Amino acid sequence: MKLIISNLKMNFTLEEAKSYKEALDTLECKKNTLIICPSYPYLSYFNGKNYYLGSQNIASRKMGSLTGEVSIEQLISLGIQYAIIGHSERRIYSNEDDHLIRKKMALCFDYHVVPILCIGESLEEKEKKLEVLKKQLDTVLYDLELKEIIIAYEPVWSIGTGNTPAHDEIKSTLQWIKEYMKNNYSIECKVIYGGSVNQRNIESLNRIEEIDGYLIGGASLKIEELRKIIEILEVKK
């Protein structure tokens, strides 16, 4: 079973979101798990039976005075079961650091929301990738009471560029993450890949057995492309 996580980011007007949702309800995803992460205003519209609902972010406090943020309690009341935490766009454009991300992870565990923790290196950090990933994991997870967790490896230099790492590089990186989590945190977790995933490369990527699923951005905005990706993943290798 693969995880297929659609990150719709800051896209769609209300009418476009409704149209997307209507088409989404026609998709068949029986062998894999589909998770849709729409923008906050549209969460209440996405209540289909063939997918789960996720949030693109959560506030670092559980409730209260934090203008412009959305709390985990509010999101749970709208039906979310998953939350993307520490996406590179949040790190870059909203200056989120690992210490803030740690607070969000702790809230997810406290409220039994499954976090999708994003980690990855920039182009400048590529030569010391494992050192960067280790620092991100340890700063965020150290001394937390870990529960179910999904780790999304997204090389920052690959997101939205159309460039993906070589298969051997993806394989070895995901192997390292899984072994590091097992050896240092005594947990076996799903590790998914994100970074310019689309219908042209999904079949090739799916030959990498270490990939437990995909975090898909731009390609998931086109419902027919998402449908094609799902169809490819529904067929056994």
Side-chain angles (χ1 to χ4, degrees):
M1 184 197 74
K2 301 286 187 182
L3 296 168
I4 306 167
I5 303 174
S6 168
N7 180 12
L8 299 179
K9 304 191 180 184
M10 193 176 65
N11 289 290
F12 298 152
T13 63
L14 177 57
E15 291 306 313
E16 289 169 341
K18 288 180 178 179
S19 176
Y20 182 93
K21 193 268 180 185
E22 289 174 2
L24 186 65
D25 288 341
T26 69
L27 300 186
E28 291 189 6
C29 190
K30 297 179 179 178
K31 297 178 182 177
N32 300 293
T33 298
L34 178 61
I35 302 167
I36 303 297
C37 302
S39 301
Y40 287 145
Y42 307 142
L43 280 168
S44 60
Y45 291 99
F46 286 81
N47 55 358
K49 297 180 180 179
N50 58 338
Y51 57 87
Y52 295 92
L53 193 61
S55 169
Q56 297 178 20
N57 187 32
I58 64 169
S60 59
R61 303 180 199 169
K62 64 180 180 180
M63 189 66 84
S65 301
L66 202 58
T67 301
E69 294 288 342
V70 181
S71 78
I72 193 166
E73 292 188 2
Q74 291 173 318
L75 293 166
I76 290 171
S77 72
L78 291 171
I80 73 149
Q81 294 173 271
Y82 299 82
I84 299 173
I85 305 294
H87 193 280
S88 62
E89 290 164 359
R90 300 292 309 174
R91 295 175 185 262
I92 294 169
Y93 302 118
S94 297
N95 297 314
E96 290 193 5
D97 61 18
D98 289 325
H99 298 285
L100 180 66
I101 292 166
R102 174 185 172 83
K103 293 179 181 179
K104 298 183 179 188
M105 291 293 291
L107 282 171
C108 285
F109 293 139
D110 287 345
Y111 282 85
H112 305 286
V113 170
V114 180
I116 303 161
L117 174 62
C118 298
I119 62 173
E121 79 284 0
S122 66
L123 186 61
E124 294 74 21
E125 297 169 327
K126 196 174 178 182
E127 294 302 317
K128 53 179 181 177
K129 172 179 61 181
L130 297 185
E131 181 182 335
V132 170
L133 300 184
K134 179 181 182 299
K135 181 177 182 295
Q136 290 174 341
L137 289 170
D138 287 345
T139 307
V140 169
L141 299 178
Y142 176 73
D143 212 26
L144 289 181
E145 185 180 347
L146 300 192
K147 299 176 184 177
E148 185 177 357
I149 177 176
I150 299 165
I151 295 178
Y153 170 61
E154 288 195 302
V156 179
W157 54 269
S158 175
I159 299 172
T161 66
N163 299 318
T164 57
H167 285 195
D168 286 347
E169 186 177 347
I170 296 174
K171 178 177 180 176
S172 63
T173 303
L174 268 60
Q175 282 179 332
W176 180 89
I177 294 170
K178 291 181 179 186
E179 290 173 5
Y180 191 80
M181 291 298 295
K182 185 176 181 179
N183 294 336
N184 292 273
Y185 293 96
S186 302
I187 187 171
E188 293 187 6
C189 60
K190 291 186 178 296
V191 181
I192 65 175
Y193 173 75
S196 295
V197 176
N198 54 55
Q199 70 179 46
R200 295 184 300 277
N201 60 24
I202 191 69
E203 194 166 3
S204 175
L205 286 169
N206 206 41
R207 298 192 188 103
I208 305 173
E209 293 184 1
E210 287 72 14
I211 296 180
D212 294 318
Y214 304 91
L215 181 55
I216 308 171
S220 68
L221 297 177
K222 303 171 184 176
I223 198 69
E224 290 308 314
E225 182 157 7
L226 180 60
R227 187 191 305 275
K228 182 63 177 177
I229 289 171
I230 290 171
E231 288 174 353
I232 291 171
L233 293 178
E234 287 285 287
V235 176
K236 289 184 178 180
K237 293 185 288 182

